[in-house]
Every structure is written in C-alpha cells, then in structure tokens.
Amino acid sequence: MAGASNLPPGFHFFPSDEELIIHFLRRKASLLPCQPDIVPTLLLNLYDPWELNGKALQSGNQWYFFSHATQTRTSPNGHWKPIADETVISGGCNVGLKKTLIFFIGEPFEAIKTNWVMHEYHLMDGSTNCSSSSTSSSSSKRSHKKKGHSDTESKNWVICRVFESSYDSQVSFHEEGTELSCLDEVFLSLDDYDEVSFAK
C-alpha cells in the first residue's frame, strides 16, 4: 500500500486541509477505518524527506502519511523547524491545526535550510470547537468516552503532507477554492460517514 494509490482509475488524491482532518485524521484517531485506506503510517524520525518516495503515499509532487506527534521532529540528517500555525475550519467549526515546517540539514546550530516543506495536521483538542454549537462539542466528547478513547490518544496522531517548495504548483490548488467533487462523492457515499460529520 505504501507509496501507491488504490483509488479507481481516473481518481487522484488531492485532498484539502479540511478533508485531511475530517475524513482521514479524525477517523485514524478514533480507531475507525479510513476510506479509502491508502495513507500509510510512518515514523517521522526515521526518514529524511527525499526518502519518502515508495514509503509514503505519493500524489503528484506530494507525499502523505500518518505519524505520531513529536516535539523534536529530527531525522537521520536534519530536523523539521516549525514556522507557522493555521486553524482549519469546517462549517464554522475549528476542526484542526495546520503546522507548517521547513526541513534543515545538519545540527541546529549550523543547519542549512532546504526547500522541503511539511504541513502537519493536528486535531483540535480531540474534538470540534464551534462558537455557536456547544451541543455538538458535548456530543463529540461523549462519543470519545463511549469508545473508551481518550483525547490524549487522539492528539498523538497527525497526518502529514510533504513537498519540495520549488515544485509546489499543486499546493495552490486548494487555496484557490477549487472543490474536489469526485472525492466528496466518494466520502459522502460511505455508510458510516455520519460518524465523522460535524454539525453546521
């Protein structure tokens, strides 16, 4: 499965920030199957970004994988340095956090900056944060308790998108507001979609 897509012919994996969190990261953290189940789990500290080919899910010039949240984010030949945080919103709810990191080669005190960029997505405290819907937040918390799954476990999972910034033509695809109707149709057709949907 790693490095290859099992999507039907004609389908491409270019999810938005919102889709990565709702349809993949939230399900992974809730111990629910991801549909389609094509994103592998990797230990971030074992690989430099140029070694992800054949291990992470490749789509165009981007690589996707699940990992466990870590503070150091070191690799065999360098480390990832956080540079920005951005809240991901869906239907008026804060559903996650998008961290942008840059890869540096070498030790921190003499590191060389590269063009490799990683977007690391986190759940928002294991639940949604809706300014006008406390009921939805309470319902989400009850659901986690019912499954015996703690917020701490949820926050340990992240989903990552890695790419080289000199080849980032794909990155602006979602920033322009383009919708992926084929992905929406796949997700909406799932019988268990209501388990991960959020109140509008």
Side-chain angles (χ1 to χ4, degrees), residues 7 12-40 57 64-66 88-91 95-96 121-123 128 157-161 174 179-200:
L7 290 172
H12 299 278
F13 191 75
F14 291 116
S16 64
D17 296 343
E18 176 185 348
E19 289 168 334
L20 282 173
I21 291 175
I22 295 177
H23 298 299
F24 290 91
L25 181 56
R26 182 170 168 80
R27 296 186 67 84
K28 181 75 169 180
S30 300
L31 302 181
L32 295 171
C34 296
Q35 300 291 344
D37 185 14
I38 57 176
V39 181
L57 169 65
Y64 297 84
F65 58 92
F66 289 112
V88 179
I89 299 175
S90 175
V95 296
Y121 298 86
H122 299 249
L123 290 176
T128 59
W157 282 108
V158 295
I159 188 168
C160 303
R161 173 197 282 137
H174 296 293
E179 295 185 0
L180 299 180
S181 58
C182 60
L183 264 182
D184 290 338
E185 291 174 5
V186 171
F187 291 131
L188 288 171
S189 67
L190 300 177
D191 294 335
D192 53 3
Y193 174 77
D194 58 340
E195 292 186 61
V196 294
S197 62
F198 295 98
K200 298 289 194 296

Side-chain angles (χ1 to χ4, degrees), residues 74-91:
T74 58
S75 74
N77 292 291
H79 65 280
W80 292 95
K81 180 179 179 180
I83 60 169
D85 290 353
E86 177 185 345
T87 300
V88 179
I89 299 175
S90 175

